[in-house]
Amino acid sequence: MTTITVLAGGIGGARFTRGLLQHLAATEPEAAVTVVVNTGDDMWLDGLRICPDLDTVMYTLGGGINEEQGWGRPEESRRTSAEIAAYGRGWSWFTLGDLDLATHIVRSDLLRSGSTLSEATEFLCRRWQPGARLLPMSDTPVETHARLAMDADEHRAGDLIHFEEWWVRYRASVPVTEFVQVGLESAVPAPGVLDAIRTADLVILPPSNPVVSVGTILAVPGIREALRSTPATVVGVSPIIAGAAVRGMADACLHTIGVATSAEAVGLHYGSRAGGGVLDAWLVDETDAGALPALAAAGIRSVAVPLWMRDSETTMRLAADALALGARSGGRLS
Ligand code: GDP
Ligand code: CA
């Protein structure tokens, strides 16, 4: 039986994993997939614990995602948040629909009753049946904050604000000097995370944000080391196509850490395992085929294939390409 572990953020990781599961259902139904999900975007909002990436993955794999938005539920209403706003509470820049709120209420109740985030996630997934095991990267709260390079509304230059405020309220348009993962030093990987990396046949870094999604997961003490030492093959899929972030504003995150917005630069940023990094192999888009020699020179086996996840067919083909490249790149699949 093939076992695959994916380290995912929200929309990019969720869509890739959905295609992977559809491809496996048709070709290798006994394969088992674990998704280790970034929790650095989590926050408390009006007494509720919001886990944006876990919910995006759970809803996407479980058939409950708003496809146009890429997050939240379809056919939503906003009556509850309008009532909260009438009390002068709530965060005007963050939308929480009524259906989505039910998820946050149930999760917050479980957490307050003493459940870990892993246990709460498992409980929520009993309803959604995502077809993969979903693990938060850590049960310890870790929150990504952005340090502002200039004043913005009530914030002053140098202030740290929650990543979601920078991303959603400011659309990543206010320059930041660094990202700080608050709580990271004392965080430990959630139960099952290190084993899922160590015992997998293949580990995939899907086209998720390399800085604040995959980067945050890799920063949890022990996870990067597990990836560096696993006998599994590690294959990544570029979230950058032709110098652009495809969907979203990942370029602003890359700029902050001094990495160019290109498939080549992100591949080199992850680095080859032989050279101290985390990748054995890397998929770039056909339009980025010019990056292949530099990637090969850095010890990363790379191929150029279509990377746009336009629909289930193109996404399934991308997943098949990732599996095929993994099989050709050593480790347990070859
Ligand atoms: P978030 O947490 O919702 O921001 O989602 P992720 O971190 O999982 O992924 C966001 C990234 O996915 C974006 O910054 C894009 O670079 C990438 N992405 C989105 N759609 C596509 C696609 O169709 N193809 C590829 N290769 N990357 C994509
Ligand atoms: Ca996210």
Side-chain angles (χ1 to χ4, degrees):
M1 185 182 79
T2 307
T3 57
I4 299 170
T5 297
V6 182
L7 309 187
I11 183 168
R15 288 192 175 167
F16 177 86
T17 305
R18 182 169 59 184
L20 175 68
L21 293 177
Q22 287 170 344
H23 171 74
L24 291 170
T27 57
E28 209 183 331
E30 67 289 351
V33 176
T34 297
V35 191
V36 176
V37 183
N38 170 45
T39 56
D41 301 355
D42 293 9
M43 60 186 168
W44 288 101
L45 202 58
D46 291 314
L48 299 175
R49 189 67 175 163
I50 317 293
C51 302
D53 290 357
L54 274 171
D55 288 346
T56 293
V57 174
M58 181 174 77
Y59 292 155
T60 301
L61 301 185
I65 194 75
N66 181 321
E67 289 292 340
E68 291 91 77
Q69 274 178 183
W71 51 271
R73 302 281 307 280
E75 290 162 47
E76 265 288 20
S77 49
R78 301 272 152 76
R79 300 188 67 194
T80 307
S81 51
E83 282 297 300
I84 294 172
Y87 286 107
R89 307 282 303 203
W91 287 358
S92 57
W93 48 268
F94 201 83
T95 319
L96 290 177
D98 294 324
L99 303 180
D100 194 27
L101 272 165
T103 302
H104 310 312
I105 291 169
V106 172
R107 173 169 43 226
S108 304
D109 185 31
L110 289 166
L111 292 174
R112 284 204 191 87
S113 315
S115 294
T116 62
L117 182 58
S118 302
E119 290 162 349
T121 302
E122 190 183 344
F123 182 89
L124 295 169
C125 285
R126 277 185 219 156
R127 171 182 176 196
W128 290 103
Q129 295 289 315
R133 183 169 61 132
L134 262 56
L135 300 178
M137 66 185 196
S138 178
D139 282 337
T140 323
V142 173
E143 290 191 1
T144 302
H145 289 210
R147 193 179 300 282
L148 297 179
M150 54 185 269
D151 296 354
D153 297 317
E154 70 274 25
H155 306 298
R156 300 278 75 89
D159 284 357
L160 283 173
I161 65 171
H162 194 287
F163 170 75
E164 288 288 331
E165 181 171 8
W166 179 66
W167 192 251
V168 178
R169 181 179 181 183
Y170 295 114
R171 311 283 310 154
S173 61
V174 179
V176 297
T177 54
E178 62 169 342
F179 299 106
V180 178
Q181 274 90 17
V182 180
L184 193 69
E185 319 72 51
S186 50
V188 290
V193 167
L194 295 181
D195 273 351
I197 294 170
R198 289 181 189 135
T199 64
D201 298 303
L202 180 69
V203 177
I204 302 180
L205 307 189
S208 283
N209 188 310
V211 184
V212 293
S213 293
V214 177
T216 304
I217 299 174
L218 294 179
V220 175
I223 294 190
R224 178 182 288 274
E225 293 70 21
L227 209 59
R228 297 228 350 96
S229 60
T230 178
T233 307
V234 184
V235 175
V237 181
S238 175
I240 304 300
I241 298 177
V246 190
R247 297 182 180 92
M249 303 145 313
D251 49 332
C253 301
L254 287 166
H255 181 76
T256 301
I257 65 160
V259 174
T261 303
S262 74
E264 176 180 325
V266 174
L268 297 176
H269 168 67
Y270 281 141
S272 76
R273 287 212 291 173
V278 294
L279 289 178
D280 295 314
W282 184 234
L283 290 156
V284 304
D285 188 69
E286 292 168 314
T287 57
D288 292 315
L292 295 179
L295 290 161
I300 304 169
R301 178 192 276 258
S302 305
V303 296
V305 298
L307 289 199
W308 268 93
M309 301 185 286
R310 294 180 200 281
D311 48 33
S312 68
E313 201 181 310
T314 50
T315 310
M316 283 167 71
R317 200 173 311 133
L318 174 57
D321 287 334
L323 294 181
L325 180 60
R328 291 204 306 279
S329 305
R332 289 187 188 163
L333 273 185
S334 56

